[in-house]
Amino acid sequence: MPRELGWYASFSVAFGFVSIATGIFTTYGAVLATSGPRGIWAWPIAVVGQLTVALVFGALAARIPISGYSYQWVSRIVGPVWGWIMGWISFAFLGVVVVAVDYTIASTILPELFRYVGTTQNAWAITAVVVLLQAVLVALSTRSTHKVNSVAVTVQLIGMIALTVLLFAVGAFTGKLDFGNLFDTASVPADGYYALGGATEAGPFALAFLLGAFTIVGFESAANLAEETREPARVIPKAMVRAVISLGVLGFLFLVAITAAAGKVAGVGTSETPVATVITAVLGSVVGKVLLVLVVISIFSCGLVITLSGTRLVYAMSRDERFPGWRLLRRVDRRTATPLNASVFMLLVAQAILALFSRSTDALFELFSAATLLPALIYAGTIAMYIAKRKSLPPTRGFALGRWEVPVLVVASVWLAYELLIFRDASFRAPWTYVLVLFAIGAVYFAGLLRRRGRQGLTMPDMADVDRTLDAADAADVTAEGSPR
């Protein structure tokens, strides 16, 4: 596959996957219910935690800029068995998160936009169509996919900035801002608000961290397209860090605006779509609907990037002959220059997960919970690997943590340990079930793989081979750019 992605395309992939519009529209209602308006103050802490993770991922991407990110890194640095486990977890995450993202459009925005009653049935049908459209676009053209995503990211930037400014301006002019609401716990008891909780329950403030933990994920998707990016070791780390910082700042300003306005809007606490309800109440029906359309575009872009990342991960694992059906899934279609079979496979996986969760009356919460738990496991495993092997990592090709390496690793480790402890809460039983079922399926396949090949048959290229491959690809890019067209 050709290297045709520049710095803005790489940034757009990271920015588009994270998509604060998606995360906030999906989880804000749950935060109000479990933590009250005061829960938004967990956001800045979560952003700092995820930023340290992004810095570590940037350091790894600069050393091994190959499609497959954590799967490739762990396979080559620790060993193929642990790498396969990381790849399978990543596959499980990408399969469920695209459904969670697209389900947000059907369940929280379109009902408010077109004034109809949302049900599990129509949410299922709409989500299925959205997933199909994204898969078709990814399968047909990588270049078109990135063009659509770049436009959508630009729309999201403009739309979210405009939405935030308008909420502050119109809210202040009409007297619909109540900044005291930022510190209110509403129906959540104030006593024990910051308590850690018990063995099977997390405290109210702890649950609020899920807002940032669900939203600020996926920045590593830029690394998953390393083989299609020009100068990936230099471009990708900066793209990930810039995406987390910009989204963290913009997201918090938007949360402050929404929460301040929510204090003067009746019925927000009981609304199925609290963010959309506040926007419409403050800005009016016409302006509110225009901005909600921009949010739909942003969320569609997010699902598009997730589909693209999932396809590339399946392709990368199949290319290494260690994914179910790898003989078909590693093929690159000559006409489209995309891994077409892998795209169809990810479509089928997403549709199956949608059918599984859509029967639940609380499908959105279960989907976003599973899509928060899985990346936390991926991040924790990758950070642990980096800590264990940091003295023997290959030389960097464009980005390094330098003297900040140890402080960054400490903060990232503490943050991820705390985040994973939140999932001891009994409300996360369904997400854990999904994770365990996917792990069981993976374990059966991997046991068969080991029986057929043995550990010796799963060896990955050593770092010298990786460097030679990357150097050859870079040389080919230079030759191609200098040759007549």
Side-chain angles (χ1 to χ4, degrees), residues 7 25 48 212 282 301 309 320 406 432:
W7 74 268
F25 272 76
V48 171
V282 175
S301 165
S309 297
D320 294 334
V406 172
W432 274 114

Side-chain angles (χ1 to χ4, degrees), residues 237-263:
K238 293 180 180 179
M240 292 192 288
V241 172
R242 287 169 179 166
V244 172
I245 293 174
S246 59
L247 286 160
V249 173
L250 181 56
F252 186 62
L253 291 173
F254 179 66
L255 281 170
V256 170
I258 282 289
T259 306

